[in-house]
Amino acid sequence: METGDGRRGERATGLRAAVERVSATPVVFLHRLPRWVLLVAVFVLLVVGMAGTGWVAAAGVLVLAAALAWFAYLNWPALDGSGRALRAVALVVLVGFALGRGLGRF
């Protein structure tokens, strides 16, 4: 029997179960927000990351990277290989860009 998230009837245990339990309330809250609110939040963080300087810019990009990492972790069991690779590459790029901005490289 396959569940809606791609897993075959198995329940999460250990750390994954704890993260899923703690994440349930924030995910429901984010789901209930109008779509434009999240879009504006991502846009503002990107502008801060691109137009800001130093560690302020790095912080904006790192917040985006943390959100992406959180969502990637929650969705990881349901993703195929290409979805996992895309999220991993996106995280590496965001963290690399944040470090570059923070260190003043670009």
Side-chain angles (χ1 to χ4, degrees):
M1 179 171 112
E2 188 169 318
T3 60
D5 63 359
R7 292 186 279 183
R8 294 194 168 265
E10 53 209 44
R11 292 237 179 242
T13 59
L15 177 64
R16 172 162 290 284
V19 171
E20 287 178 359
R21 190 173 42 258
V22 170
S23 296
T25 301
V27 168
V28 169
F29 173 76
L30 291 173
H31 181 70
R32 289 183 178 172
L33 288 174
R35 289 183 189 249
W36 64 267
V37 172
L38 294 177
L39 182 63
V40 168
V42 168
F43 181 73
V44 167
L45 289 171
L46 280 173
V47 168
V48 167
M50 298 294 200
T53 58
W55 291 105
V56 172
V61 177
L62 285 174
V63 168
L64 282 176
L68 177 63
W70 175 44
F71 289 131
Y73 183 79
L74 291 176
N75 290 313
W76 200 260
L79 297 173
D80 61 356
S82 62
R84 291 177 178 183
L86 180 63
R87 281 161 181 80
V89 168
L91 277 171
V92 168
V93 168
L94 281 174
V95 171
F97 183 74
L99 288 174
R101 294 296 282 178
L103 296 173
R105 304 282 180 187
F106 50 87

